[in-house]
């Protein structure tokens, strides 16, 4: 089955929420807003993208969320790779302030 359109089940959603807890309040607030808007329609593919972004340091994640940097501007090569997957880029566009629901 196509991951792009398969909805994330409750167990997967619960595990993802736990994985998304961050050390910086600003990140937590933006991620919580994302879940409030999108959790009912979150796909397996989007969950992978969010998981890819959670591999980043708090500061790198915040820089991306606030558009201070784009994924290709991250200095760490693993962070750059994680933040540049097609799934991560899709979720990043939904996470950033000013993003509108599809």
């Amino acid at each position: 089955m196509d991951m792009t359109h398969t909805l994330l089940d409750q167990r997967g959603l619960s595990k993802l929420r736990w994985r998304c807890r961050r050390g910086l309040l600003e990140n937590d607030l933006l991620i919580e807003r994302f879940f409030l808007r999108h959790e009912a329609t979150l796909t397996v593919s989007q969950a992978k993208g969010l998981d890819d972004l959670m591999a980043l340091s708090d500061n790198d994640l915040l820089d991306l969320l606030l558009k201070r940097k784009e994924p290709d501007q991250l200095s760490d090569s693993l962070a750059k790779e994680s933040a540049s997957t097609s799934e991560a880029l899709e979720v990043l566009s939904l996470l950033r302030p000013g993003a509108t629901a599809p």
Side-chain angles (χ1 to χ4, degrees):
M1 188 169 220
D2 182 14
M3 267 191 4
T4 310
H5 302 295
T6 304
L7 291 181
L8 192 62
D9 62 25
Q10 273 308 118
R11 184 164 187 267
L13 185 61
S14 177
K15 288 172 79 172
L16 186 62
R17 275 184 163 280
W18 181 258
R19 168 91 168 96
C20 289
R21 294 177 318 124
R22 304 303 294 197
L24 283 177
L25 177 62
E26 294 88 343
N27 285 338
D28 274 340
L29 293 172
L30 291 168
I31 292 166
E32 184 57 30
R33 188 185 68 189
F34 169 83
F35 275 115
L36 289 172
R37 288 183 176 173
H38 302 287
E39 73 179 345
T41 58
L42 201 62
T43 65
V44 172
S45 175
Q46 290 168 329
K48 183 209 177 291
L50 198 50
D51 193 59
D52 289 343
L53 292 173
M54 292 306 109
L56 303 176
S57 72
D58 279 335
N59 291 327
D60 281 346
L61 181 60
L62 189 61
D63 283 344
L64 291 178
L65 293 178
L66 297 181
K67 299 181 187 178
R68 294 191 290 221
K69 289 185 180 176
E70 291 300 323
D72 63 349
Q73 296 172 313
L74 296 175
S75 54
D76 180 86
S77 60
L78 289 176
K80 189 182 296 189
E81 187 180 324
S82 237
S84 297
T85 65
S86 60
E87 298 90 350
L89 292 171
E90 177 190 354
V91 172
L92 182 58
S93 71
L94 296 173
L95 273 163
R96 286 177 162 171
T100 55

